[in-house]
Amino acid sequence: QQQSGNSLKLRVCVATCNRADYSKLAPIMFGIKAHSDEFELEVVVLGSHLIDDYGNTFRMIEQDDFGIDSKLHTIVRGEDEAAMVESVGLALVKLPDVLQRLRPDILIVHGDRFDALALATAAALMNIRILHLEGGEVSGTIDDSIRHAISKLAHYHACCTRMAEQHLIAMCEDHSRILLAGCPSYDKLLLTHHKDDYMDIIKSWLGDKVQDHDYIVALQHPVTTDIQHSIKIYGLMLDALLSFNKKTLILFPNIDAGSKEMVRVMRKKGIEQHPNFRAVKHIPFEQFIQLVCHAGCMIGNSSCGVREAGAFGTPVINLGTRQTGRETGENVLHVRDADTHNKIYHALELQFGKRYPCSKIYGDGSAVPRILKFLRSIDLDEPLQKTFCFPPVKESISQDIDHILETQSALAVDLGGTNLRVAIVCMRGKILKKYTENNPRTFEDRMELILKMCKDAVQDAVSINCRILGVGVSTGGRVNPQEGVVLHSTKLIQEWSCVNLRTPISDALHLPVWVDNDGNCAALAEKKFGHGKGVENFVTVITGTGIGGGIIHHHELIHGSTFCGAELGHIMVSLEGPECSCGSRGCIEAYASGMALQREAKMLHDEDLLKVEGMDMKICEPITAAHLISAARMGNSKAAAVLHKASTALGVGIVNILHIVNPSLVVLSGVLGSFYQEPVQQVLSQRALTSAQTIRVVTSHLEEPALLGAASMVLDYATRRTY
């Protein structure tokens, strides 16, 4: 540590080997430089940065105004397996002098390249502490082995995903020395990818005639464990792109063994002279972000496709085995192998021009502050010798990470007929903060308010130390949850049909979004937080303004072929019953909903048959279902008869459900749930088949089933999204 006034600066050396790892390291370097009172930055440049054929990319580092303390020419040309080994050896010969001169407290090494292995080996043998970025991830080549070897040499780890963190723990790394930070490049790309001048950047690389979302970015590298297969797939990709006939920006492969042969294939097919193609060796990261963000599709096997592209919802075609095992968002379509270019061409037809929800599997834009905080916490007086934590693997949950102390949470949105509500909900189902506004009547006002409330909640989440994993939306009406689209709404919510909720919310917040019907959400809430926890088959019936619900069968929600499953309020119990809001007659909702009871109460009131002696009713007070229930409890026989008919109708409807799906439990939710519980249980005992008469009817204890159900979609799925 260097003395500076009265304080000690932590001497941090960042070593970068190529353009790809610099995009991950640069945000950290800027963060260190911005805190020059605490840190002294040292920069070592080696590998393909210094080779003309790969664009002399060390100039990017100089343009970013970083002083380079040492440039090491470590690449032995040849682009085959032996040349890679010789390059590692050359780096090991040259690095000791540099590390001895710089004497860093911490060396930051990124990823899984052979140059990085040389760096980690040299530093470990020279008793220099190593912080490894992106350890614990899985990819399908020799890089996998190199990455894990670096992890074993490293003293500290800053990983990107929860699965990577679990892998490091399973590899016996010390849990207290692992930071779940997210990918540092996301800090930059989430801030900068919405630049207004993106069309200027696109046109500068692809020409004036190209349009937004109407071009392809291609980037494929050799797989060093199967070079011949790499070359074959590369040739088929080029054939498919030639046939697909779209403007394509193609980057040269990296320096790995096999790259020379791939370049020969490119030149043999005349790609560099073809009017549809622009072949380049290097693109500055900020411009590359724009190009990937606004592409109609990205194709190849670059990690950018499975990582960064997901943050924009850009469709990706991943070719071959190089990224096998990597966590990806739903934007990635895999083509593992192909004998002709037809399979790749078909994948282009499927993917080109689509947009997907933004994925934050690899980061939320706050990695650098976490890494700087982690660096500050390193105690240079503690023993350098690293220790391994053998076998009992400590379960990793976010609350255990004492250097983050963030609460994993969901943003829940409930769209009701009257109110629009947003809440931050933690893993345990506790509502940490809630926001309520009147639901606007027009589509434009409603969407604007949803986005504003969600953005406000995301900002507030930071102040209460919550990490938002995604957004769950509960809404009235019929919903296609696969597409996140409201197909038809209830009459209570105007201008709310054929509405894509997923895309605008995902685009605005850079978060994955789930949408479902409010009845289904109530069932999901019971499944995760209520009476349905651990129950394989149960039904939730909402008894509120309307009647709705959801059916859980074999632990899964039933949606039906046209997303009309579990419309429990519209089970018919009479051929000639009262008219229902759906246009039919005799539905449960027409008898037992709050609106139906309110209608009956008003009719009795108009005939002066509602009020009984001792009943407190103000003259100007609007008549509601509560007045009907109150009158019945005080001996009003007419009110009691209405409620008996409503309870019987609801009970008969539930008997029909029991005879169709045979659940083991019925949960009554909503404001009328506790009132209906006993009479419905009686109807079941009288009218159900003997084998179904003992099925329990219980009242939900959840205060906010719609919000909790919306949150549960996120909390159940956002933490295990692997494709």
Side-chain angles (χ1 to χ4, degrees), residues 210-228:
V210 74
Q211 297 296 313
D212 191 7
H213 301 315
D214 196 36
Y215 63 90
I216 296 168
V217 174
L219 176 53
Q220 187 160 353
H221 302 303
V223 177
T224 54
T225 48
D226 195 350
I227 292 170
Q228 291 311 309

Side-chain angles (χ1 to χ4, degrees), residues 313-423:
T314 302
V316 171
I317 299 166
N318 179 54
L319 302 177
T321 59
R322 189 168 185 260
Q323 304 298 338
T324 298
R326 274 265 170 91
E327 294 172 83
T328 72
E330 59 189 90
N331 62 310
V332 178
L333 177 64
H334 296 282
V335 180
R336 308 287 186 197
D337 197 4
D339 292 320
T340 69
H341 77 274
N342 291 342
K343 193 184 286 187
I344 300 172
Y345 185 89
H346 186 55
L348 283 164
E349 286 184 314
L350 288 172
Q351 287 287 75
F352 187 80
K354 286 180 78 172
R355 299 315 287 174
Y356 288 89
C358 304
S359 163
K360 282 196 172 181
I361 294 172
Y362 285 97
D364 60 2
S366 300
V368 172
R370 293 188 188 110
I371 290 169
L372 294 182
K373 185 178 176 183
F374 189 52
L375 285 170
R376 291 185 193 103
S377 74
I378 292 172
D379 181 2
L380 298 180
D381 292 327
E382 70 180 4
L384 181 70
Q385 177 60 49
K386 69 179 284 187
T387 55
F388 300 102
C389 300
F390 293 105
V393 177
K394 186 177 179 183
E395 185 187 359
S396 168
I397 56 174
S398 60
Q399 290 86 340
D400 288 339
I401 307 171
D402 56 7
H403 46 263
I404 298 179
L405 289 176
E406 289 174 322
T407 304
Q408 292 224 332
S409 308
L411 210 57
V413 180
D414 176 32
L415 270 153
T418 308
N419 291 323
L420 173 56
R421 300 181 307 151
V422 173

